[in-house]
Amino acid sequence: MIDDEVLAGHQQELRRGTVVMAALATLETPGYGYGLLAVLEKSGLSVDANTLYPLLRRLEKQGLLAAEWDTTESRPRKMYKTSDAGRNLLGTLEAEWNHLATSLNALRSEESNPHLKELP
Amino acid sequence: MIDDEVLAGHQQELRRGTVVMAALATLETPGYGYGLLAVLEKSGLSVDANTLYPLLRRLEKQGLLAAEWDTTESRPRKMYKTSDAGRNLLGTLEAEWNHLATSLNALRSEESNPHLKELP
DNA sequence: ACACGATACTGTGTCACACACACTGTTGTC
DNA sequence: GACAACAGTGTGTGTGACACAGTATCGTGT
């Protein structure tokens, strides 16, 4: 009944931002892009590789992640880890997340009891 | 310490999608744009008018909201209400929201107990 | 009487992010 | 020696958030 493309679009809009939280949280223990991709996939957060790689570069440029090339092994990997600023932002975003959850819940219950709108 | 613009950007990314849920939930009882704006503001969901109006039109075009002009009063208002498809989508998005919350929590606790990663 | 802010909405930009597509190169494995 | 999985970069394209600029009506003060 619902157009699949419309549904997918809105679901994706909802996911936006959460990937940043997931990355910042996961990379408190250092890791690299491709590996992170697998971890997120396993955790039920499906992220496209073409989305994650640019995201990591952006977070690095913003100073939220620290990055350096690991060339100790033959296959070079770009290792990322969450910086102090990143940890800081993660906290803020989690607070915002909880705030949003609270607000949505409030609207939801107000909806099932519309008469509450009349109260002071 | 954190760049304010960067912070604001990520917070906004997180809010994306939640406004759709808020609108669909609130408009189960019919309402109009400017009024919805006030309701959301009061609920702690700050949405720009220039964001909400186009959003409502888009949701209407997607068949998630039903709209009709109310011209009974001198000041014309475009009344919106959530359609069956909209109610349907709202349920899906709420499920997705809970799914995301669960995944993020999982990543967070895995993070504080990294050794769990080794377990089968 | 009229200036001004609040109400209520439309339309046209601009910019950033998600993702598609197209690459480069390495390491197993069959 | 072909081929999939690994690990990453770069270059589009489209959509949504918001800035800015309008249109028009209503209420209140002076």
Side-chain angles (χ1 to χ4, degrees):
Chain A
M1 200 58 64
I2 293 187
D3 184 347
D4 275 359
E5 291 190 38
V6 169
L7 171 74
H10 285 293
Q11 275 182 325
Q12 186 201 315
E13 286 296 311
L14 200 56
R15 266 195 298 274
R16 273 175 96 125
T18 62
V19 182
V20 172
M21 279 200 282
L24 291 176
T26 307
L27 292 176
E28 295 214 33
T29 52
Y32 60 100
Y34 197 90
L36 178 59
L37 208 60
V39 171
L40 295 184
E41 183 71 25
K42 207 177 57 132
S43 302
L45 280 171
S46 56
V47 190
D48 195 295
N50 295 312
T51 299
L52 186 62
Y53 282 124
L55 176 74
L56 291 174
R57 284 178 242 162
R58 196 166 65 250
L59 294 179
E60 183 196 359
K61 196 183 291 179
Q62 293 175 344
L64 303 165
L65 291 178
E68 70 184 280
W69 283 96
D70 176 5
T71 49
T72 57
E73 298 184 33
S74 58
R75 189 193 292 281
R77 288 166 170 174
K78 202 171 184 177
M79 298 297 289
Y80 291 96
K81 72 186 250 278
T82 305
S83 71
D84 287 349
R87 225 181 325 275
N88 205 323
L89 177 67
L90 178 57
T92 308
L93 290 181
E94 277 170 346
E96 176 75 9
W97 175 271
N98 290 327
H99 175 68
L100 288 171
T102 305
S103 297
L104 285 174
N105 260 327
L107 285 173
R108 216 49 194 122
S109 38
E110 207 171 298
E111 191 39 47
S112 32
N113 303 331
H115 52 281
L116 287 180
K117 285 178 181 168
E118 260 73 26
L119 294 180
Chain B
M1 201 59 63
I2 293 188
D3 183 350
D4 275 0
E5 291 192 36
V6 169
L7 171 74
H10 286 292
Q11 275 182 324
Q12 185 202 313
E13 287 294 311
L14 201 56
R15 266 195 297 273
R16 275 177 94 124
T18 61
V19 182
V20 171
M21 280 200 282
L24 291 175
T26 308
L27 292 175
E28 294 213 34
T29 53
Y32 60 100
Y34 197 89
L36 179 58
L37 207 59
V39 171
L40 295 185
E41 184 71 25
K42 205 175 57 125
S43 302
L45 280 171
S46 56
V47 191
D48 195 292
N50 295 313
T51 298
L52 186 62
Y53 283 123
L55 176 73
L56 291 173
R57 286 177 240 160
R58 197 165 65 250
L59 294 178
E60 183 195 0
K61 196 183 290 179
Q62 294 174 344
L64 302 166
L65 291 177
E68 70 184 280
W69 282 97
D70 176 5
T71 49
T72 57
E73 299 184 32
S74 58
R75 188 191 294 278
R77 289 167 169 174
K78 201 170 184 178
M79 297 296 288
Y80 292 96
K81 72 185 250 280
T82 305
S83 71
D84 288 348
R87 224 181 325 276
N88 203 325
L89 177 67
L90 178 57
T92 307
L93 290 181
E94 278 170 347
E96 176 76 8
W97 174 271
N98 290 327
H99 174 68
L100 288 172
T102 306
S103 297
L104 285 174
N105 260 327
L107 285 174
R108 209 80 182 103
S109 37
E110 209 171 297
E111 191 38 47
S112 31
N113 302 333
H115 51 283
L116 287 180
K117 285 178 181 168
E118 260 72 26
L119 294 181

